[in-house]
Amino acid sequence: MGTPSLSLWAGLVLALLLVGLWAPCVVNGQPNFIVILADDVGWGDLGANWAETKETPHLDQLAAEGTRFVDFHSAASTCSPSRASLLTGRLGVRNGVTHNFAISSVGGLPLNESTLAEVLREAGYSTGAIGKWHLGHHGRHHPNSRGFDYYFGIPYSHDMGCTDTPGYNVPPCPPCPRHGAAARVVRKDCYTEVALPLLENITIVQQPVQLGSLAARYAEAAARFIQRASDSGRPFFLYLALAHMHVPLSPPLPPAPGRAVYGASLGEMDALVGRIKEVADSHGKGNTLLWFTGDNGPWAQKCELAGRLGPFVGAWQRQRGGSSAKQTTWEGGHRVPALVYWPGRVPAKRTSHALLSTLDIFPTLVALAGAALPPNRRFDGLDVSPVLFGWSDVGHKVLLHPNSGAAGKVGEIEALRLAQYKAFYTTGGAMACDGSTGPAEQHQPPLIFNLDRDIQEQEPLDVASREYQAVLPAISRAYAQALQDIAADNVSVADYSQDPAAIPCCNVQHVGCRCRGARAATPHLHVEGTTQLCL
Protein backbone atom coordinates (compact mmCIF):
# COMPACT_ATOMS: atom_id res chain seq x y z
CA MET A 1 0.00 0.00 0.00
CA GLY A 2 1.15 3.56 -0.67
CA THR A 3 1.83 6.29 1.84
CA PRO A 4 -1.41 7.95 3.06
CA SER A 5 -2.14 11.24 1.37
CA LEU A 6 -2.11 14.57 3.17
CA SER A 7 -5.89 14.80 2.74
CA LEU A 8 -6.34 11.40 4.39
CA TRP A 9 -4.22 12.45 7.36
CA ALA A 10 -6.27 15.63 7.61
CA GLY A 11 -9.44 13.56 7.63
CA LEU A 12 -8.12 11.34 10.41
CA VAL A 13 -7.15 14.37 12.49
CA LEU A 14 -10.61 15.86 11.96
CA ALA A 15 -12.24 12.59 12.99
CA LEU A 16 -10.16 12.50 16.18
CA LEU A 17 -11.14 16.07 16.96
CA LEU A 18 -14.81 15.23 16.49
CA VAL A 19 -14.44 12.23 18.79
CA GLY A 20 -12.87 14.57 21.34
CA LEU A 21 -15.78 16.98 21.04
CA TRP A 22 -18.25 14.18 21.70
CA ALA A 23 -16.16 12.70 24.52
CA PRO A 24 -18.64 13.85 27.20
CA CYS A 25 -21.08 11.29 25.80
CA VAL A 26 -18.78 8.31 25.76
CA VAL A 27 -15.86 8.79 28.13
CA ASN A 28 -15.71 6.18 30.92
CA GLY A 29 -18.60 4.30 29.33
CA GLN A 30 -22.18 5.06 30.28
CA PRO A 31 -22.56 7.87 32.84
CA ASN A 32 -24.60 7.59 36.02
CA PHE A 33 -27.74 9.71 36.29
CA ILE A 34 -29.37 11.29 39.34
CA VAL A 35 -32.60 13.21 38.80
CA ILE A 36 -33.77 15.08 41.91
CA LEU A 37 -37.33 16.35 41.65
CA ALA A 38 -38.49 18.81 44.31
CA ASP A 39 -42.21 19.15 44.99
CA ASP A 40 -44.09 22.49 44.77
CA VAL A 41 -40.80 24.38 44.73
CA GLY A 42 -40.78 27.98 43.54
CA TRP A 43 -38.37 29.45 40.98
CA GLY A 44 -37.41 31.94 43.67
CA ASP A 45 -36.66 29.24 46.25
CA LEU A 46 -33.05 29.07 45.10
CA GLY A 47 -30.67 31.77 46.23
CA ALA A 48 -28.91 31.45 42.87
CA ASN A 49 -32.17 32.58 41.25
CA TRP A 50 -33.47 35.04 43.82
CA ALA A 51 -31.21 37.05 46.09
CA GLU A 52 -33.81 37.23 48.88
CA THR A 53 -33.50 33.46 49.42
CA LYS A 54 -30.76 32.63 51.94
CA GLU A 55 -31.53 29.00 52.87
CA THR A 56 -29.96 27.15 49.90
CA PRO A 57 -26.13 27.23 50.16
CA HIS A 58 -25.71 23.69 48.79
CA LEU A 59 -27.98 24.30 45.80
CA ASP A 60 -26.26 27.62 45.17
CA GLN A 61 -22.91 25.81 45.21
CA LEU A 62 -24.35 23.25 42.79
CA ALA A 63 -25.29 26.14 40.50
CA ALA A 64 -21.77 27.59 40.76
CA GLU A 65 -20.21 24.22 39.89
CA GLY A 66 -22.67 23.48 37.08
CA THR A 67 -25.12 25.19 34.75
CA ARG A 68 -28.25 27.02 35.86
CA PHE A 69 -31.25 27.06 33.52
CA VAL A 70 -33.46 30.10 34.07
CA ASP A 71 -36.13 29.42 31.40
CA PHE A 72 -36.88 25.85 32.43
CA HIS A 73 -40.44 24.50 32.77
CA SER A 74 -42.32 21.57 34.21
CA ALA A 75 -44.45 19.69 31.70
CA ALA A 76 -47.57 20.25 33.82
CA SER A 77 -48.33 22.23 36.95
CA THR A 78 -49.58 19.48 39.23
CA CYS A 79 -48.16 16.23 40.59
CA SER A 80 -49.12 13.13 38.59
CA PRO A 81 -49.14 14.70 35.09
CA SER A 82 -45.78 16.38 35.67
CA ARG A 83 -44.15 13.14 36.85
CA ALA A 84 -45.66 11.09 34.06
CA SER A 85 -44.29 13.53 31.49
CA LEU A 86 -40.81 13.52 33.03
CA LEU A 87 -40.65 9.72 32.94
CA THR A 88 -42.08 9.37 29.40
CA GLY A 89 -40.97 12.54 27.59
CA ARG A 90 -44.60 13.01 26.53
CA LEU A 91 -47.36 15.42 27.57
CA GLY A 92 -50.41 14.15 29.40
CA VAL A 93 -52.55 14.44 26.26
CA ARG A 94 -50.30 11.73 24.80
CA ASN A 95 -49.43 9.53 27.82
CA GLY A 96 -52.95 9.67 29.29
CA VAL A 97 -52.08 11.15 32.70
CA THR A 98 -54.00 14.43 32.86
CA HIS A 99 -54.74 14.75 36.57
CA ASN A 100 -53.75 13.26 39.91
CA PHE A 101 -54.29 9.68 41.01
CA ALA A 102 -56.01 8.91 44.33
CA ILE A 103 -55.03 6.62 47.21
CA SER A 104 -57.72 4.22 45.96
CA SER A 105 -56.76 4.40 42.28
CA VAL A 106 -56.76 1.07 40.50
CA GLY A 107 -54.81 2.40 37.52
CA GLY A 108 -51.83 4.61 36.90
CA LEU A 109 -49.46 5.58 34.14
CA PRO A 110 -50.71 3.43 31.22
CA LEU A 111 -48.70 0.22 30.86
CA ASN A 112 -48.12 0.74 27.14
CA GLU A 113 -46.13 3.90 27.95
CA SER A 114 -42.37 3.26 28.26
CA THR A 115 -40.69 4.86 31.26
CA LEU A 116 -37.18 6.27 31.39
CA ALA A 117 -36.31 3.56 33.93
CA GLU A 118 -37.45 0.79 31.57
CA VAL A 119 -35.35 2.14 28.71
CA LEU A 120 -32.24 2.62 30.87
CA ARG A 121 -32.57 -0.77 32.56
CA GLU A 122 -32.70 -2.37 29.13
CA ALA A 123 -29.49 -0.45 28.36
CA GLY A 124 -27.74 -2.04 31.36
CA TYR A 125 -28.52 0.42 34.15
CA SER A 126 -29.33 -0.31 37.76
CA THR A 127 -32.46 1.74 38.46
CA GLY A 128 -33.85 3.13 41.69
CA ALA A 129 -36.73 5.39 42.69
CA ILE A 130 -36.80 7.03 46.10
CA GLY A 131 -39.58 9.29 47.35
CA LYS A 132 -42.95 10.24 45.94
CA TRP A 133 -44.33 8.10 43.10
CA HIS A 134 -47.96 9.20 42.43
CA LEU A 135 -48.27 7.29 39.14
CA GLY A 136 -50.30 4.36 40.45
CA HIS A 137 -49.36 1.86 43.14
CA HIS A 138 -51.79 -1.01 42.60
CA GLY A 139 -50.81 -4.11 40.68
CA ARG A 140 -48.48 -3.52 37.72
CA HIS A 141 -48.49 0.25 38.23
CA HIS A 142 -46.11 0.01 41.20
CA PRO A 143 -42.61 1.42 40.45
CA ASN A 144 -41.05 -2.05 40.71
CA SER A 145 -43.20 -2.97 37.70
CA ARG A 146 -42.33 0.23 35.79
CA GLY A 147 -38.61 -0.29 35.37
CA PHE A 148 -37.24 0.41 38.85
CA ASP A 149 -35.16 -2.33 40.46
CA TYR A 150 -35.52 -0.64 43.84
CA TYR A 151 -38.17 1.58 45.38
CA PHE A 152 -38.33 3.31 48.77
CA GLY A 153 -40.90 5.99 49.44
CA ILE A 154 -44.51 7.11 49.66
CA PRO A 155 -46.73 6.01 46.76
CA TYR A 156 -48.41 9.43 46.45
CA SER A 157 -48.27 12.90 48.04
CA HIS A 158 -47.50 12.88 51.74
CA ASP A 159 -50.62 14.87 52.56
CA MET A 160 -52.76 11.94 51.30
CA GLY A 161 -52.83 10.09 54.60
CA CYS A 162 -52.79 10.87 58.30
CA THR A 163 -49.72 10.73 60.54
CA ASP A 164 -49.11 10.94 64.27
CA THR A 165 -47.19 14.21 63.88
CA PRO A 166 -49.02 15.99 61.04
CA GLY A 167 -46.55 18.82 60.56
CA TYR A 168 -47.48 22.28 59.29
CA ASN A 169 -50.36 22.72 56.85
CA VAL A 170 -52.98 25.33 55.97
CA PRO A 171 -55.47 24.52 57.37
CA PRO A 172 -53.84 22.17 59.90
CA CYS A 173 -54.85 18.50 59.82
CA PRO A 174 -55.42 16.27 62.85
CA PRO A 175 -53.24 13.27 63.74
CA CYS A 176 -54.29 9.72 62.96
CA PRO A 177 -57.02 8.28 65.18
CA ARG A 178 -55.90 5.60 67.64
CA HIS A 179 -59.06 4.10 69.11
CA GLY A 180 -61.99 3.04 66.96
CA ALA A 181 -64.32 5.76 65.77
CA ALA A 182 -64.11 7.74 68.98
CA ALA A 183 -63.09 11.37 68.78
CA ARG A 184 -62.35 11.23 65.06
CA VAL A 185 -62.00 14.67 63.56
CA VAL A 186 -63.18 15.12 59.99
CA ARG A 187 -61.85 18.15 58.17
CA LYS A 188 -62.07 19.15 54.54
CA ASP A 189 -58.90 18.41 52.58
CA CYS A 190 -57.54 16.20 55.37
CA TYR A 191 -57.14 12.42 55.19
CA THR A 192 -58.21 11.08 58.57
CA GLU A 193 -59.20 7.45 57.94
CA VAL A 194 -56.05 5.86 56.48
CA ALA A 195 -52.48 6.37 57.68
CA LEU A 196 -49.75 7.39 55.26
CA PRO A 197 -47.66 4.34 54.20
CA LEU A 198 -43.91 4.07 53.61
CA LEU A 199 -42.87 1.36 51.17
CA GLU A 200 -39.64 -0.44 50.47
CA ASN A 201 -40.19 -2.18 47.18
CA ILE A 202 -43.57 -3.89 47.61
CA THR A 203 -43.52 -4.02 51.40
CA ILE A 204 -45.14 -1.47 53.71
CA VAL A 205 -42.42 -0.82 56.28
CA GLN A 206 -44.17 1.91 58.27
CA GLN A 207 -47.76 3.12 58.55
CA PRO A 208 -48.16 5.91 59.51
CA VAL A 209 -44.93 7.49 58.29
CA GLN A 210 -42.81 9.50 60.70
CA LEU A 211 -42.49 12.67 58.64
CA GLY A 212 -39.79 14.20 60.81
CA SER A 213 -37.28 11.48 59.87
CA LEU A 214 -38.31 11.12 56.22
CA ALA A 215 -35.56 13.31 54.73
CA ALA A 216 -32.86 11.40 56.59
CA ARG A 217 -34.33 8.06 55.50
CA TYR A 218 -34.43 9.18 51.88
CA ALA A 219 -30.78 10.28 52.06
CA GLU A 220 -29.77 6.96 53.62
CA ALA A 221 -31.71 4.96 51.03
CA ALA A 222 -30.14 6.96 48.20
CA ALA A 223 -26.63 6.42 49.59
CA ARG A 224 -27.25 2.66 49.90
CA PHE A 225 -28.57 2.44 46.35
CA ILE A 226 -25.59 4.35 44.93
CA GLN A 227 -23.18 2.14 46.89
CA ARG A 228 -24.82 -1.09 45.73
CA ALA A 229 -24.92 0.08 42.13
CA SER A 230 -21.27 1.13 42.26
CA ASP A 231 -20.28 -2.21 43.78
CA SER A 232 -22.08 -4.02 40.96
CA GLY A 233 -20.03 -2.23 38.32
CA ARG A 234 -23.16 -1.18 36.46
CA PRO A 235 -24.12 2.43 35.70
CA PHE A 236 -27.09 3.64 37.72
CA PHE A 237 -30.14 5.85 37.34
CA LEU A 238 -31.54 7.27 40.58
CA TYR A 239 -34.85 9.13 40.50
CA LEU A 240 -35.16 10.98 43.83
CA ALA A 241 -38.59 12.60 44.16
CA LEU A 242 -38.51 14.65 47.35
CA ALA A 243 -41.37 15.38 49.73
CA HIS A 244 -40.04 18.96 50.00
CA MET A 245 -41.57 21.55 49.51
CA HIS A 246 -45.08 20.08 49.49
CA VAL A 247 -47.20 20.46 52.63
CA PRO A 248 -47.28 19.27 55.33
CA LEU A 249 -43.89 20.71 56.16
CA SER A 250 -41.94 18.99 58.93
CA PRO A 251 -38.74 20.96 59.52
CA PRO A 252 -36.07 19.31 61.70
CA LEU A 253 -36.42 21.83 64.53
CA PRO A 254 -39.67 23.57 65.50
CA PRO A 255 -39.16 27.07 64.07
CA ALA A 256 -40.98 30.22 65.00
CA PRO A 257 -44.45 30.57 63.46
CA GLY A 258 -44.92 31.99 59.98
CA ARG A 259 -42.43 32.15 57.17
CA ALA A 260 -39.68 30.58 59.27
CA VAL A 261 -41.38 27.19 58.87
CA TYR A 262 -40.94 27.31 55.12
CA GLY A 263 -37.38 28.54 55.36
CA ALA A 264 -36.42 25.79 57.80
CA SER A 265 -37.91 23.14 55.50
CA LEU A 266 -36.15 24.68 52.51
CA GLY A 267 -32.89 24.47 54.40
CA GLU A 268 -33.50 20.80 55.14
CA MET A 269 -34.13 20.10 51.45
CA ASP A 270 -30.95 21.97 50.55
CA ALA A 271 -28.90 19.89 52.99
CA LEU A 272 -30.39 16.68 51.57
CA VAL A 273 -29.39 17.65 48.03
CA GLY A 274 -25.92 18.54 49.28
CA ARG A 275 -25.63 15.10 50.85
CA ILE A 276 -26.61 13.35 47.61
CA LYS A 277 -24.02 15.37 45.67
CA GLU A 278 -21.37 14.46 48.22
CA VAL A 279 -22.18 10.74 47.94
CA ALA A 280 -22.17 10.87 44.14
CA ASP A 281 -18.82 12.67 44.06
CA SER A 282 -17.31 10.12 46.44
CA HIS A 283 -17.92 7.39 43.88
CA GLY A 284 -15.97 9.14 41.16
CA LYS A 285 -16.33 12.85 40.54
CA GLY A 286 -17.22 13.35 36.90
CA ASN A 287 -18.94 9.98 36.45
CA THR A 288 -22.42 11.20 37.41
CA LEU A 289 -24.79 13.74 35.88
CA LEU A 290 -27.02 15.30 38.56
CA TRP A 291 -30.16 17.13 37.38
CA PHE A 292 -32.15 19.10 39.98
CA THR A 293 -35.54 20.61 39.15
CA GLY A 294 -39.18 20.84 40.34
CA ASP A 295 -42.51 19.24 39.44
CA ASN A 296 -44.44 22.53 39.40
CA GLY A 297 -44.62 25.91 41.07
CA PRO A 298 -45.75 26.80 44.60
CA TRP A 299 -49.18 25.90 45.97
CA ALA A 300 -50.49 29.43 46.53
CA GLN A 301 -53.50 28.48 48.66
CA LYS A 302 -51.09 27.28 51.36
CA CYS A 303 -50.24 30.93 52.05
CA GLU A 304 -47.10 31.34 54.19
CA LEU A 305 -46.28 27.65 53.57
CA ALA A 306 -46.06 28.18 49.80
CA GLY A 307 -42.82 28.81 47.91
CA ARG A 308 -41.35 31.92 46.36
CA LEU A 309 -42.34 32.80 42.82
CA GLY A 310 -39.52 35.23 42.21
CA PRO A 311 -40.62 37.72 39.53
CA PHE A 312 -43.17 35.32 37.98
CA VAL A 313 -46.23 36.60 39.81
CA GLY A 314 -48.86 36.42 37.03
CA ALA A 315 -49.99 39.97 37.77
CA TRP A 316 -52.84 39.93 35.22
CA GLN A 317 -54.48 37.02 37.02
CA ARG A 318 -53.80 38.36 40.50
CA GLN A 319 -55.60 41.57 39.63
CA ARG A 320 -58.70 39.47 38.91
CA GLY A 321 -58.38 37.12 41.86
CA GLY A 322 -57.15 33.58 42.08
CA SER A 323 -53.75 31.92 41.95
CA SER A 324 -51.12 32.29 39.26
CA ALA A 325 -48.98 29.42 40.54
CA LYS A 326 -49.51 25.66 40.88
CA GLN A 327 -52.31 24.22 38.68
CA THR A 328 -52.17 27.20 36.34
CA THR A 329 -50.44 27.93 33.04
CA TRP A 330 -48.98 31.21 34.33
CA GLU A 331 -45.18 31.25 34.60
CA GLY A 332 -45.40 30.76 38.36
CA GLY A 333 -47.17 27.45 37.78
CA HIS A 334 -44.60 25.80 35.55
CA ARG A 335 -41.34 27.80 35.47
CA VAL A 336 -39.17 25.91 37.93
CA PRO A 337 -35.55 26.01 39.09
CA ALA A 338 -33.17 23.74 37.19
CA LEU A 339 -29.51 22.91 37.73
CA VAL A 340 -27.29 20.39 35.97
CA TYR A 341 -24.01 19.30 37.51
CA TRP A 342 -21.51 17.04 35.76
CA PRO A 343 -17.89 17.99 36.49
CA GLY A 344 -15.73 18.11 33.40
CA ARG A 345 -18.71 17.77 31.09
CA VAL A 346 -21.29 20.46 31.89
CA PRO A 347 -19.71 23.94 32.15
CA ALA A 348 -19.47 25.49 35.59
CA LYS A 349 -20.64 29.01 36.49
CA ARG A 350 -22.86 29.16 33.41
CA THR A 351 -26.40 30.45 33.07
CA SER A 352 -28.47 29.24 30.13
CA HIS A 353 -31.52 31.04 28.77
CA ALA A 354 -32.54 28.16 26.48
CA LEU A 355 -36.25 27.30 26.60
CA LEU A 356 -36.20 23.82 28.15
CA SER A 357 -38.59 21.47 29.94
CA THR A 358 -38.71 18.42 32.19
CA LEU A 359 -39.91 16.71 29.00
CA ASP A 360 -36.30 16.91 27.80
CA ILE A 361 -34.89 14.76 30.61
CA PHE A 362 -36.11 11.50 29.01
CA PRO A 363 -34.65 11.91 25.50
CA THR A 364 -31.46 13.55 26.78
CA LEU A 365 -30.56 10.80 29.26
CA VAL A 366 -31.52 8.10 26.77
CA ALA A 367 -29.13 9.65 24.23
CA LEU A 368 -26.30 10.03 26.76
CA ALA A 369 -26.74 6.36 27.73
CA GLY A 370 -26.38 5.33 24.09
CA ALA A 371 -29.88 3.89 24.05
CA ALA A 372 -32.72 4.39 21.57
CA LEU A 373 -36.08 6.06 22.07
CA PRO A 374 -39.07 3.70 22.09
CA PRO A 375 -40.65 3.40 18.63
CA ASN A 376 -44.18 4.08 17.39
CA ARG A 377 -44.83 7.22 19.40
CA ARG A 378 -43.99 10.91 19.29
CA PHE A 379 -42.11 12.78 21.96
CA ASP A 380 -42.56 16.33 23.21
CA GLY A 381 -39.08 16.42 24.75
CA LEU A 382 -35.78 17.08 22.97
CA ASP A 383 -32.28 15.72 23.35
CA VAL A 384 -30.75 18.88 24.79
CA SER A 385 -27.27 17.51 25.47
CA PRO A 386 -25.71 20.22 23.19
CA VAL A 387 -27.27 22.80 25.52
CA LEU A 388 -26.00 20.98 28.62
CA PHE A 389 -22.47 20.89 27.21
CA GLY A 390 -22.56 24.59 26.35
CA TRP A 391 -22.34 24.05 22.59
CA SER A 392 -25.73 25.67 22.02
CA ASP A 393 -28.26 27.79 23.85
CA VAL A 394 -31.22 26.90 21.65
CA GLY A 395 -34.03 24.83 23.10
CA HIS A 396 -37.68 24.54 22.10
CA LYS A 397 -39.13 26.74 19.41
CA VAL A 398 -42.61 26.02 20.79
CA LEU A 399 -43.54 24.80 24.26
CA LEU A 400 -47.07 23.70 25.20
CA HIS A 401 -48.65 24.18 28.62
CA PRO A 402 -51.61 21.96 29.62
CA ASN A 403 -54.37 22.76 32.09
CA SER A 404 -53.50 21.05 35.37
CA GLY A 405 -56.62 21.59 37.43
CA ALA A 406 -57.52 25.24 36.85
CA ALA A 407 -60.22 26.45 34.43
CA GLY A 408 -60.90 24.33 31.37
CA LYS A 409 -60.62 20.61 30.69
CA VAL A 410 -57.74 18.89 32.47
CA GLY A 411 -54.86 18.01 30.21
CA GLU A 412 -55.89 20.22 27.32
CA ILE A 413 -53.35 22.67 25.91
CA GLU A 414 -54.42 26.04 27.32
CA ALA A 415 -51.25 28.08 26.77
CA LEU A 416 -48.39 28.13 24.29
CA ARG A 417 -44.91 29.63 24.29
CA LEU A 418 -43.35 30.79 21.02
CA ALA A 419 -39.96 32.46 21.46
CA GLN A 420 -40.56 35.36 23.90
CA TYR A 421 -44.33 35.29 23.37
CA LYS A 422 -46.82 33.49 25.60
CA ALA A 423 -50.41 32.94 24.47
CA PHE A 424 -53.29 32.05 26.82
CA TYR A 425 -56.52 30.46 25.63
CA THR A 426 -57.98 29.91 29.12
CA THR A 427 -57.34 31.60 32.48
CA GLY A 428 -58.67 31.51 36.04
CA GLY A 429 -59.97 28.73 38.23
CA ALA A 430 -57.12 28.13 40.71
CA MET A 431 -57.44 29.07 44.37
CA ALA A 432 -55.25 31.74 45.95
CA CYS A 433 -54.35 32.20 49.61
CA ASP A 434 -57.35 34.49 50.14
CA GLY A 435 -59.76 31.81 48.87
CA SER A 436 -60.49 33.51 45.54
CA THR A 437 -60.26 31.51 42.33
CA GLY A 438 -60.66 34.17 39.69
CA PRO A 439 -63.26 33.87 36.92
CA ALA A 440 -62.82 31.13 34.35
CA GLU A 441 -62.30 32.91 31.03
CA GLN A 442 -61.87 31.69 27.47
CA HIS A 443 -59.77 33.90 25.20
CA GLN A 444 -60.38 33.97 21.44
CA PRO A 445 -58.26 35.51 20.17
CA PRO A 446 -55.74 34.58 22.87
CA LEU A 447 -54.11 36.84 25.41
CA ILE A 448 -50.51 37.33 24.32
CA PHE A 449 -47.70 38.57 26.55
CA ASN A 450 -44.17 39.52 25.54
CA LEU A 451 -42.13 37.94 28.33
CA ASP A 452 -38.97 39.82 27.36
CA ARG A 453 -40.65 43.05 28.44
CA ASP A 454 -43.27 41.73 30.85
CA ILE A 455 -41.98 38.82 32.90
CA GLN A 456 -44.67 39.49 35.50
CA GLU A 457 -47.36 38.80 32.86
CA GLN A 458 -49.12 42.02 33.78
CA GLU A 459 -50.24 43.62 30.52
CA PRO A 460 -51.17 41.58 27.43
CA LEU A 461 -50.47 43.02 24.01
CA ASP A 462 -53.19 45.21 22.56
CA VAL A 463 -54.99 43.08 19.93
CA ALA A 464 -54.96 46.09 17.62
CA SER A 465 -51.21 46.63 17.91
CA ARG A 466 -48.79 45.82 15.13
CA GLU A 467 -46.88 43.48 17.41
CA TYR A 468 -49.98 41.43 18.24
CA GLN A 469 -51.08 41.24 14.62
CA ALA A 470 -47.57 40.23 13.54
CA VAL A 471 -47.18 37.37 16.03
CA LEU A 472 -50.75 36.01 16.12
CA PRO A 473 -50.54 34.08 12.79
CA ALA A 474 -47.37 32.28 13.90
CA ILE A 475 -48.92 31.41 17.28
CA SER A 476 -52.12 30.18 15.63
CA ARG A 477 -50.14 28.00 13.21
CA ALA A 478 -48.03 26.54 16.01
CA TYR A 479 -51.12 25.79 18.08
CA ALA A 480 -52.95 24.13 15.20
CA GLN A 481 -49.89 22.09 14.21
CA ALA A 482 -49.44 20.90 17.80
CA LEU A 483 -53.04 19.73 18.06
CA GLN A 484 -52.76 17.96 14.69
CA ASP A 485 -49.57 16.23 15.78
CA ILE A 486 -51.20 15.00 19.00
CA ALA A 487 -54.28 13.77 17.11
CA ALA A 488 -52.06 11.74 14.76
CA ASP A 489 -50.06 10.12 17.58
CA ASN A 490 -50.48 6.87 19.50
CA VAL A 491 -52.30 8.35 22.47
CA SER A 492 -52.76 6.44 25.72
CA VAL A 493 -55.69 6.57 28.14
CA ALA A 494 -55.15 6.23 31.87
CA ASP A 495 -57.51 4.27 34.09
CA TYR A 496 -58.75 6.63 36.81
CA SER A 497 -61.21 4.17 38.38
CA GLN A 498 -61.07 3.69 42.14
CA ASP A 499 -61.59 0.79 44.53
CA PRO A 500 -61.10 0.94 48.32
CA ALA A 501 -59.29 -2.40 48.06
CA ALA A 502 -56.46 -0.60 46.23
CA ILE A 503 -55.63 1.56 49.27
CA PRO A 504 -52.26 0.51 50.77
CA CYS A 505 -53.10 -0.91 54.19
CA CYS A 506 -50.81 -3.17 56.17
CA ASN A 507 -53.43 -4.18 58.73
CA VAL A 508 -57.15 -3.63 58.10
CA GLN A 509 -57.87 -4.78 61.66
CA HIS A 510 -56.22 -1.69 63.10
CA VAL A 511 -57.61 1.83 63.04
CA GLY A 512 -56.12 3.74 60.14
CA CYS A 513 -54.18 0.63 59.02
CA ARG A 514 -51.67 1.28 61.79
CA CYS A 515 -48.89 -1.32 61.94
CA ARG A 516 -45.63 0.31 62.95
CA GLY A 517 -43.31 -2.33 64.33
CA ALA A 518 -45.88 -5.11 63.92
CA ARG A 519 -46.26 -7.69 61.17
CA ALA A 520 -49.59 -7.31 59.40
CA ALA A 521 -52.01 -10.20 59.41
CA THR A 522 -54.06 -8.95 56.46
CA PRO A 523 -51.89 -6.81 54.19
CA HIS A 524 -53.58 -4.79 51.46
CA LEU A 525 -50.92 -3.92 48.91
CA HIS A 526 -50.66 -6.24 45.95
CA VAL A 527 -48.16 -6.20 43.13
CA GLU A 528 -48.39 -8.88 40.47
CA GLY A 529 -49.95 -11.33 42.88
CA THR A 530 -47.34 -10.99 45.64
CA THR A 531 -48.59 -10.71 49.24
CA GLN A 532 -47.13 -7.81 51.17
CA LEU A 533 -46.23 -7.66 54.83
CA CYS A 534 -45.80 -4.68 57.09
CA LEU A 535 -42.49 -4.93 58.94
Side-chain angles (χ1 to χ4, degrees), residues 150-403:
Y150 177 72
Y151 176 64
F152 182 83
I154 298 170
Y156 28 72
S157 295
H158 67 286
D159 64 340
M160 296 172 68
C162 63
T163 65
D164 290 336
T165 52
Y168 295 86
N169 203 344
V170 176
C173 290
C176 286
R178 289 184 175 272
H179 306 291
R184 289 194 183 185
V185 179
V186 177
R187 294 184 186 174
K188 184 182 179 182
D189 300 327
C190 292
Y191 289 74
T192 57
E193 299 298 315
V194 179
L196 188 69
L198 181 65
L199 276 59
E200 184 165 29
N201 293 320
I202 55 177
T203 300
I204 301 174
V205 296
Q206 191 178 68
Q207 194 169 13
V209 176
Q210 293 179 342
L211 293 178
S213 62
L214 192 61
R217 298 192 72 168
Y218 282 176
E220 292 164 4
R224 287 195 304 269
F225 171 80
I226 292 171
Q227 183 66 59
R228 286 196 301 265
S230 299
D231 291 345
S232 74
R234 297 167 61 194
F236 66 81
F237 165 50
L238 173 60
Y239 170 55
L240 177 55
L242 305 178
H244 302 84
M245 297 298 300
H246 198 294
V247 292
L249 301 179
S250 298
L253 295 174
R259 190 71 195 181
V261 172
Y262 192 87
S265 296
L266 187 59
E268 182 182 50
M269 181 189 77
D270 178 73
L272 194 161
V273 174
R275 172 61 179 151
I276 300 304
K277 174 182 177 290
E278 179 184 4
V279 171
D281 284 346
S282 72
H283 288 275
K285 197 167 185 177
N287 295 334
T288 301
L289 182 156
L290 190 157
W291 200 322
F292 173 87
T293 188
D295 71 334
N296 49 247
W299 198 356
Q301 71 185 73
K302 296 303 176 178
C303 303
E304 71 273 9
L305 301 182
R308 303 168 174 122
L309 292 168
F312 306 107
V313 298
W316 187 92
Q317 184 64 62
R318 283 193 172 185
Q319 292 164 3
R320 289 156 179 79
S323 169
S324 57
K326 179 178 178 176
Q327 298 184 304
T328 79
T329 55
W330 298 98
E331 291 294 291
H334 52 76
R335 192 183 290 228
V336 289
L339 309 171
V340 177
Y341 167 77
W342 192 5
R345 316 295 197 272
V346 170
K349 299 180 180 178
R350 174 172 171 255
T351 297
S352 169
H353 294 269
L355 179 59
L356 303 184
S357 167
T358 52
L359 291 160
D360 304 326
I361 293 174
F362 184 108
T364 302
L365 299 194
V366 168
L368 292 173
L373 292 175
N376 305 318
R377 69 203 68 189
R378 300 178 185 182
F379 291 87
D380 297 291
L382 305 173
D383 172 10
V384 297
S385 51
V387 181
L388 300 191
F389 298 143
W391 305 339
S392 167
D393 208 31
V394 178
H396 290 260
K397 294 180 179 178
V398 175
L399 195 60
L400 308 176
H401 300 298
N403 171 32

Side-chain angles (χ1 to χ4, degrees), residues 110-184:
L111 300 178
N112 57 304
E113 291 288 329
S114 297
T115 70
L116 178 57
E118 289 168 339
V119 175
L120 292 179
R121 186 163 69 175
E122 186 68 23
Y125 277 71
S126 178
T127 57
I130 294 173
K132 176 176 173 177
W133 178 239
H134 215 172
L135 292 174
H137 52 272
H138 187 66
R140 295 173 63 198
H141 296 287
H142 184 280
N144 284 149
S145 298
R146 302 314 311 267
F148 289 102
D149 301 320
Y150 177 72
Y151 176 64
F152 182 83
I154 298 170
Y156 28 72
S157 295
H158 67 286
D159 64 340
M160 296 172 68
C162 63
T163 65
D164 290 336
T165 52
Y168 295 86
N169 203 344
V170 176
C173 290
C176 286
R178 289 184 175 272
H179 306 291
R184 289 194 183 185

Side-chain angles (χ1 to χ4, degrees), residues 74-76 80-98 109-110 112-116 135 357-363 373-382 396 400 402 411 413 485-493:
S74 58
S80 296
S82 179
R83 292 155 202 274
S85 291
L86 186 156
L87 290 174
T88 64
R90 287 155 54 86
L91 288 165
V93 286
R94 300 186 197 269
N95 66 40
V97 181
T98 57
L109 175 65
N112 57 304
E113 291 288 329
S114 297
T115 70
L116 178 57
L135 292 174
S357 167
T358 52
L359 291 160
D360 304 326
I361 293 174
F362 184 108
L373 292 175
N376 305 318
R377 69 203 68 189
R378 300 178 185 182
F379 291 87
D380 297 291
L382 305 173
H396 290 260
L400 308 176
I413 307 304
D485 184 75
I486 292 166
D489 194 12
N490 286 327
V491 173
S492 300
V493 178

Side-chain angles (χ1 to χ4, degrees), residues 49-65:
N49 284 348
W50 197 240
E52 295 177 14
T53 298
K54 307 297 183 185
E55 299 93 347
T56 58
H58 295 95
L59 283 163
D60 298 344
Q61 184 63 30
L62 197 68
E65 296 180 14

